Amino acid sequence: MRILLKVWRQSSPRSAGELVDYTVENVSPDMSFLEMLDVVNEGLIAQGKDPIAFDSDCREGICGACGFLINGVAHGPDPGTTVCQLHMRRFKDNDRIVLEPWRAKAFPLIKDLVVDRSALDRIIQAGGYTSINVGGAPDGNAILIPGPIVEQAMDSAACISCGACVAACKNASAALFTGAKISHLALLPQGKVERDARVVAMVARHDQEGFGSCSNEGECEAVCPKEISITNIARMNREYLRATLL
Ligand code: SF4
Ligand code: FES
């Protein structure tokens, strides 16, 4: 296949950026999207040009390092899929594909398709520790937790902190991410001890970092590669009200 790429190139946070055209020949449908970009970069390096900067690590959909907008959609056209798990068979010969970085005030651009997502780490950090004394390594069944609760907590814990939810939201809100992180601890007995302090601190940090408020648009859920449900945002709001009003 021939693919016509338009890629956002910006050499530093303060320099001007622009969309640059690249024609990529001989693209195999079996290549992953990032392998296709690797080939583009090998060509650029061979010509003595600056390769396109993009983030990746595991390339198997579990680390959350990858992510950019593909034709305006965070992580591209396949639902429940990270960029690293997207394959070129999803596209057609002579398709025009526009690549842009996540765009949000709280995610300052570093270079090309790479943004600084450390604000998400600071929200988690604000949640602090679970400080209950669990003694030695507990037996797996020592704390009985109903199956449906375990399932819900595990679903929330599936968030990989990629930031796609922020990029898709018109308010650049990180409510889905924060809701997932709050939920996966608040649902479990070990996390209930400090649930009030945790939700108040994490929501405050979310706002300090410059993320917007949630207005229930649902774009976050639509693009989340781990299909995190917006019920996590509702749970975060209930946890917050419980902590501040009761
Ligand atoms: S909620 Fe989904 S889209 Fe948002 S950071 Fe977590 S995995 Fe990524
Ligand atoms: S590189 Fe790890 S999730 Fe994509």
Side-chain angles (χ1 to χ4, degrees):
M1 293 189 294
R2 171 191 289 140
I3 296 294
L4 308 168
L5 283 183
K6 258 188 192 303
V7 184
W8 184 261
R9 301 301 311 265
Q10 185 171 341
S11 57
S12 69
R14 290 190 206 287
S15 61
E18 60 174 345
L19 286 167
V20 177
D21 290 308
Y22 300 95
T23 301
V24 198
E25 305 281 0
N26 301 320
V27 174
S28 160
D30 296 328
M31 280 177 173
S32 76
F33 201 92
L34 297 188
E35 284 167 348
M36 182 273 295
L37 284 183
D38 289 339
V39 171
V40 174
N41 278 346
E42 282 169 13
L44 290 172
I45 291 166
Q47 295 169 46
K49 294 181 179 165
D50 199 21
I52 300 162
F54 63 90
D55 260 335
S56 75
D57 190 359
C58 70
R59 297 204 175 191
E60 50 189 23
I62 54 173
C63 77
C66 66
F68 42 78
L69 299 170
I70 300 179
N71 291 340
V73 180
H75 287 299
D78 282 350
T81 306
T82 52
V83 164
C84 62
Q85 294 276 277
L86 180 66
H87 283 78
M88 294 312 296
R89 67 182 76 96
R90 189 66 173 74
F91 300 92
K92 299 192 301 296
D93 193 28
N94 284 317
D95 263 1
R96 185 174 297 279
I97 307 176
V98 182
L99 307 185
E100 293 174 89
W102 292 165
R103 297 199 188 276
K105 189 173 89 180
F107 288 164
L109 189 135
I110 297 173
K111 185 176 180 181
D112 297 338
L113 303 176
V114 179
V115 298
D116 179 356
R117 288 170 289 174
S118 57
L120 299 182
D121 298 331
R122 290 189 291 275
I123 293 174
I124 294 177
Q125 207 174 14
Y129 299 96
T130 52
S131 59
I132 58 169
N133 183 359
V134 293
D139 183 272
N141 295 324
I143 302 174
L144 294 176
I145 307 168
I149 298 294
V150 172
E151 288 298 323
Q152 284 179 51
M154 288 300 288
D155 287 349
S156 301
C159 168
I160 54 174
S161 309
C162 66
C165 45
V166 177
C169 176
K170 69 173 187 176
N171 308 318
S173 172
L176 190 64
F177 162 84
T178 310
K181 298 301 174 193
I182 286 167
S183 291
H184 94 255
L185 285 174
L187 283 160
L188 298 174
Q190 297 92 332
K192 286 196 193 298
V193 182
E194 286 148 329
R195 65 198 282 193
D196 292 349
R198 184 184 307 118
V199 66
V200 170
M202 290 178 78
V203 169
R205 190 76 217 185
H206 170 281
D207 295 351
Q208 277 168 32
E209 292 290 346
F211 294 107
S213 298
C214 172
S215 51
N216 280 322
E217 311 298 324
E219 284 102 335
C220 52
E221 184 184 71
V223 299
C224 174
K226 296 298 152 187
E227 301 179 317
I228 302 288
S229 162
I230 52 173
T231 57
N232 284 278
I233 300 178
R235 188 178 296 104
M236 172 176 69
N237 291 337
R238 285 199 301 276
E239 287 289 314
Y240 190 84
L241 287 174
R242 183 184 173 282
T244 52
L245 293 183
L246 297 183

